[in-house]
Amino acid sequence: MTDSDSSRFLNMSAGQQSAVTQAAEEAHKLAMSAHLYLQQLKEGSPRFETWFGEYNSASYSKVAKTFYLLTGGEHRKKISEFTYSLDRRDSQHEFGYVDPNRYGEINLYPNFFRYSQLQPGMLVQLASEFAITGATQLLAFDSDPCKELAQKDPGKAIANADSYRLFALAPELDS
């Protein structure tokens, strides 16, 4: 890791920096895969409707633009180019947070490092919360509550940060 790379990590050990680097690269791949999927989508699909509700042009546009921006579109940073900081407060049920107006800065709790398989998806979720990428919020968390939100209130589903994480992780719904 070069000095310029290490300046993107605040208050982290070398092992934590490595874990975040790997997770961020995987998060970028997830966002890119979702973006490419959405580019070819011309109508609703089980994957889209599971996480965002009924397909319409407005919901599609919002979701597609968010994933486009998460990939670095419109001269934005890729998730793998963000700055990551460790907030040492131990939050038992949270992985991190962002200030929506401080684009490209993700704060992670120690809990983030306990679940390596969840890290890439969590970075997609957090990155969608920036005002200039998706301006999402955590309205529902995890599969069942997010599915219910998509069915009951699609407008809230497209504003829900965890819906983006789950959509990015759910290509099996394409079949």
Side-chain angles (χ1 to χ4, degrees), residues 88-107:
R88 295 190 186 281
R89 293 178 288 178
D90 196 9
S91 177
Q92 292 297 319
H93 304 290
E94 295 181 42
F95 295 94
Y97 63 94
V98 302
D99 175 337
N101 298 311
R102 294 184 59 102
Y103 174 67
E105 297 178 16
I106 293 182
N107 302 285

mmCIF file of all heavy atoms in Angstrom, residues 88-107:
data_model
loop_
_atom_site.group_PDB
_atom_site.id
_atom_site.type_symbol
_atom_site.label_atom_id
_atom_site.label_comp_id
_atom_site.label_asym_id
_atom_site.label_seq_id
_atom_site.Cartn_x
_atom_site.Cartn_y
_atom_site.Cartn_z
ATOM 1 N N ARG A 88 -14.129 4.498 16.866
ATOM 2 C CA ARG A 88 -13.898 3.423 17.832
ATOM 3 C C ARG A 88 -15.057 3.172 18.798
ATOM 4 O O ARG A 88 -15.028 2.211 19.557
ATOM 5 C CB ARG A 88 -12.616 3.691 18.605
ATOM 6 C CG ARG A 88 -11.409 3.653 17.688
ATOM 7 C CD ARG A 88 -10.114 3.668 18.459
ATOM 8 N NE ARG A 88 -8.975 3.779 17.566
ATOM 9 C CZ ARG A 88 -8.458 2.777 16.876
ATOM 10 N NH1 ARG A 88 -8.982 1.579 16.964
ATOM 11 N NH2 ARG A 88 -7.417 2.979 16.091
ATOM 12 N N ARG A 89 -16.095 4.011 18.740
ATOM 13 C CA ARG A 89 -17.263 3.709 19.573
ATOM 14 C C ARG A 89 -17.821 2.373 19.108
ATOM 15 O O ARG A 89 -17.968 2.138 17.919
ATOM 16 C CB ARG A 89 -18.334 4.789 19.429
ATOM 17 C CG ARG A 89 -17.891 6.120 20.001
ATOM 18 C CD ARG A 89 -18.933 7.155 19.795
ATOM 19 N NE ARG A 89 -18.955 7.493 18.366
ATOM 20 C CZ ARG A 89 -19.787 8.364 17.824
ATOM 21 N NH1 ARG A 89 -20.688 8.965 18.554
ATOM 22 N NH2 ARG A 89 -19.723 8.628 16.541
ATOM 23 N N ASP A 90 -18.098 1.503 20.030
ATOM 24 C CA ASP A 90 -18.566 0.169 19.657
ATOM 25 C C ASP A 90 -20.083 0.152 19.576
ATOM 26 O O ASP A 90 -20.773 0.143 20.580
ATOM 27 C CB ASP A 90 -18.061 -0.875 20.648
ATOM 28 C CG ASP A 90 -18.179 -2.286 20.088
ATOM 29 O OD1 ASP A 90 -18.479 -2.433 18.893
ATOM 30 O OD2 ASP A 90 -17.973 -3.233 20.857
ATOM 31 N N SER A 91 -20.570 0.179 18.381
ATOM 32 C CA SER A 91 -22.005 0.099 18.150
ATOM 33 C C SER A 91 -22.335 -1.348 17.815
ATOM 34 O O SER A 91 -21.914 -1.869 16.786
ATOM 35 C CB SER A 91 -22.398 1.017 16.992
ATOM 36 O OG SER A 91 -23.751 0.886 16.723
ATOM 37 N N GLN A 92 -23.086 -1.985 18.663
ATOM 38 C CA GLN A 92 -23.362 -3.419 18.518
ATOM 39 C C GLN A 92 -24.138 -3.770 17.262
ATOM 40 O O GLN A 92 -23.994 -4.849 16.725
ATOM 41 C CB GLN A 92 -24.124 -3.922 19.745
ATOM 42 C CG GLN A 92 -23.308 -3.914 21.007
ATOM 43 C CD GLN A 92 -22.112 -4.855 20.929
ATOM 44 O OE1 GLN A 92 -22.208 -5.957 20.413
ATOM 45 N NE2 GLN A 92 -20.977 -4.406 21.423
ATOM 46 N N HIS A 93 -24.982 -2.879 16.780
ATOM 47 C CA HIS A 93 -25.875 -3.223 15.686
ATOM 48 C C HIS A 93 -25.655 -2.384 14.434
ATOM 49 O O HIS A 93 -26.460 -2.446 13.516
ATOM 50 C CB HIS A 93 -27.333 -3.102 16.140
ATOM 51 C CG HIS A 93 -27.620 -3.928 17.348
ATOM 52 N ND1 HIS A 93 -27.656 -5.305 17.309
ATOM 53 C CD2 HIS A 93 -27.839 -3.580 18.635
ATOM 54 C CE1 HIS A 93 -27.903 -5.766 18.516
ATOM 55 N NE2 HIS A 93 -28.024 -4.738 19.340
ATOM 56 N N GLU A 94 -24.614 -1.601 14.411
ATOM 57 C CA GLU A 94 -24.360 -0.764 13.247
ATOM 58 C C GLU A 94 -22.951 -1.014 12.735
ATOM 59 O O GLU A 94 -22.058 -1.377 13.485
ATOM 60 C CB GLU A 94 -24.530 0.711 13.601
ATOM 61 C CG GLU A 94 -25.959 1.078 13.982
ATOM 62 C CD GLU A 94 -26.092 2.548 14.306
ATOM 63 O OE1 GLU A 94 -25.499 3.367 13.586
ATOM 64 O OE2 GLU A 94 -26.784 2.869 15.273
ATOM 65 N N PHE A 95 -22.790 -0.780 11.449
ATOM 66 C CA PHE A 95 -21.496 -1.013 10.811
ATOM 67 C C PHE A 95 -20.760 0.280 10.508
ATOM 68 O O PHE A 95 -19.557 0.296 10.387
ATOM 69 C CB PHE A 95 -21.687 -1.800 9.511
ATOM 70 C CG PHE A 95 -22.224 -3.179 9.774
ATOM 71 C CD1 PHE A 95 -23.581 -3.431 9.719
ATOM 72 C CD2 PHE A 95 -21.372 -4.219 10.072
ATOM 73 C CE1 PHE A 95 -24.087 -4.696 9.967
ATOM 74 C CE2 PHE A 95 -21.859 -5.497 10.325
ATOM 75 C CZ PHE A 95 -23.222 -5.727 10.270
ATOM 76 N N GLY A 96 -21.496 1.361 10.348
ATOM 77 C CA GLY A 96 -20.867 2.631 10.034
ATOM 78 C C GLY A 96 -21.906 3.691 9.737
ATOM 79 O O GLY A 96 -23.104 3.464 9.856
ATOM 80 N N TYR A 97 -21.411 4.845 9.343
ATOM 81 C CA TYR A 97 -22.303 5.961 9.030
ATOM 82 C C TYR A 97 -21.577 6.944 8.126
ATOM 83 O O TYR A 97 -20.344 6.901 7.990
ATOM 84 C CB TYR A 97 -22.770 6.667 10.308
ATOM 85 C CG TYR A 97 -21.649 7.303 11.105
ATOM 86 C CD1 TYR A 97 -21.324 8.645 10.929
ATOM 87 C CD2 TYR A 97 -20.905 6.569 12.011
ATOM 88 C CE1 TYR A 97 -20.279 9.226 11.647
ATOM 89 C CE2 TYR A 97 -19.866 7.128 12.733
ATOM 90 C CZ TYR A 97 -19.562 8.471 12.544
ATOM 91 O OH TYR A 97 -18.539 9.042 13.246
ATOM 92 N N VAL A 98 -22.353 7.812 7.505
ATOM 93 C CA VAL A 98 -21.792 8.900 6.713
ATOM 94 C C VAL A 98 -22.501 10.194 7.102
ATOM 95 O O VAL A 98 -23.629 10.175 7.580
ATOM 96 C CB VAL A 98 -21.941 8.684 5.184
ATOM 97 C CG1 VAL A 98 -21.272 7.392 4.754
ATOM 98 C CG2 VAL A 98 -23.390 8.715 4.744
ATOM 99 N N ASP A 99 -21.828 11.290 6.886
ATOM 100 C CA ASP A 99 -22.478 12.593 6.884
ATOM 101 C C ASP A 99 -22.861 12.796 5.427
ATOM 102 O O ASP A 99 -21.978 12.860 4.563
ATOM 103 C CB ASP A 99 -21.502 13.677 7.356
ATOM 104 C CG ASP A 99 -22.075 15.083 7.266
ATOM 105 O OD1 ASP A 99 -23.019 15.313 6.464
ATOM 106 O OD2 ASP A 99 -21.567 15.963 7.976
ATOM 107 N N PRO A 100 -24.150 12.864 5.106
ATOM 108 C CA PRO A 100 -24.570 12.932 3.702
ATOM 109 C C PRO A 100 -23.932 14.073 2.915
ATOM 110 O O PRO A 100 -23.825 14.001 1.696
ATOM 111 C CB PRO A 100 -26.090 13.122 3.791
ATOM 112 C CG PRO A 100 -26.473 12.613 5.124
ATOM 113 C CD PRO A 100 -25.287 12.869 6.014
ATOM 114 N N ASN A 101 -23.475 15.107 3.612
ATOM 115 C CA ASN A 101 -22.895 16.268 2.938
ATOM 116 C C ASN A 101 -21.374 16.235 2.875
ATOM 117 O O ASN A 101 -20.765 17.187 2.394
ATOM 118 C CB ASN A 101 -23.380 17.552 3.625
ATOM 119 C CG ASN A 101 -24.888 17.672 3.516
ATOM 120 O OD1 ASN A 101 -25.456 17.519 2.445
ATOM 121 N ND2 ASN A 101 -25.537 17.897 4.646
ATOM 122 N N ARG A 102 -20.769 15.177 3.347
ATOM 123 C CA ARG A 102 -19.297 15.034 3.267
ATOM 124 C C ARG A 102 -18.982 13.854 2.344
ATOM 125 O O ARG A 102 -18.551 12.796 2.792
ATOM 126 C CB ARG A 102 -18.705 14.856 4.661
ATOM 127 C CG ARG A 102 -18.877 16.125 5.517
ATOM 128 C CD ARG A 102 -18.212 15.998 6.851
ATOM 129 N NE ARG A 102 -16.787 15.738 6.715
ATOM 130 C CZ ARG A 102 -15.837 16.655 6.878
ATOM 131 N NH1 ARG A 102 -16.166 17.884 7.187
ATOM 132 N NH2 ARG A 102 -14.571 16.318 6.772
ATOM 133 N N TYR A 103 -19.221 14.097 1.080
ATOM 134 C CA TYR A 103 -19.088 13.059 0.064
ATOM 135 C C TYR A 103 -17.708 12.399 0.100
ATOM 136 O O TYR A 103 -16.681 13.062 0.161
ATOM 137 C CB TYR A 103 -19.340 13.651 -1.325
ATOM 138 C CG TYR A 103 -19.090 12.679 -2.432
ATOM 139 C CD1 TYR A 103 -19.903 11.571 -2.593
ATOM 140 C CD2 TYR A 103 -18.017 12.839 -3.293
ATOM 141 C CE1 TYR A 103 -19.670 10.656 -3.588
ATOM 142 C CE2 TYR A 103 -17.779 11.927 -4.307
ATOM 143 C CZ TYR A 103 -18.602 10.835 -4.448
ATOM 144 O OH TYR A 103 -18.357 9.927 -5.434
ATOM 145 N N GLY A 104 -17.748 11.071 0.033
ATOM 146 C CA GLY A 104 -16.518 10.301 -0.073
ATOM 147 C C GLY A 104 -15.864 9.944 1.246
ATOM 148 O O GLY A 104 -14.791 9.348 1.256
ATOM 149 N N GLU A 105 -16.490 10.295 2.373
ATOM 150 C CA GLU A 105 -15.941 9.974 3.690
ATOM 151 C C GLU A 105 -16.888 9.021 4.409
ATOM 152 O O GLU A 105 -18.009 9.390 4.747
ATOM 153 C CB GLU A 105 -15.765 11.242 4.526
ATOM 154 C CG GLU A 105 -14.779 12.219 3.926
ATOM 155 C CD GLU A 105 -14.659 13.498 4.736
ATOM 156 O OE1 GLU A 105 -15.104 13.531 5.912
ATOM 157 O OE2 GLU A 105 -14.124 14.467 4.194
ATOM 158 N N ILE A 106 -16.423 7.800 4.623
ATOM 159 C CA ILE A 106 -17.229 6.794 5.316
ATOM 160 C C ILE A 106 -16.584 6.487 6.661
ATOM 161 O O ILE A 106 -15.378 6.233 6.740
ATOM 162 C CB ILE A 106 -17.369 5.510 4.469
ATOM 163 C CG1 ILE A 106 -18.195 5.804 3.207
ATOM 164 C CG2 ILE A 106 -18.007 4.389 5.288
ATOM 165 C CD1 ILE A 106 -18.447 4.603 2.319
ATOM 166 N N ASN A 107 -17.401 6.531 7.705
ATOM 167 C CA ASN A 107 -16.962 6.221 9.061
ATOM 168 C C ASN A 107 -17.433 4.813 9.406
ATOM 169 O O ASN A 107 -18.618 4.504 9.249
ATOM 170 C CB ASN A 107 -17.573 7.228 10.038
ATOM 171 C CG ASN A 107 -17.186 8.643 9.674
ATOM 172 O OD1 ASN A 107 -16.065 9.054 9.899
ATOM 173 N ND2 ASN A 107 -18.121 9.387 9.087
#
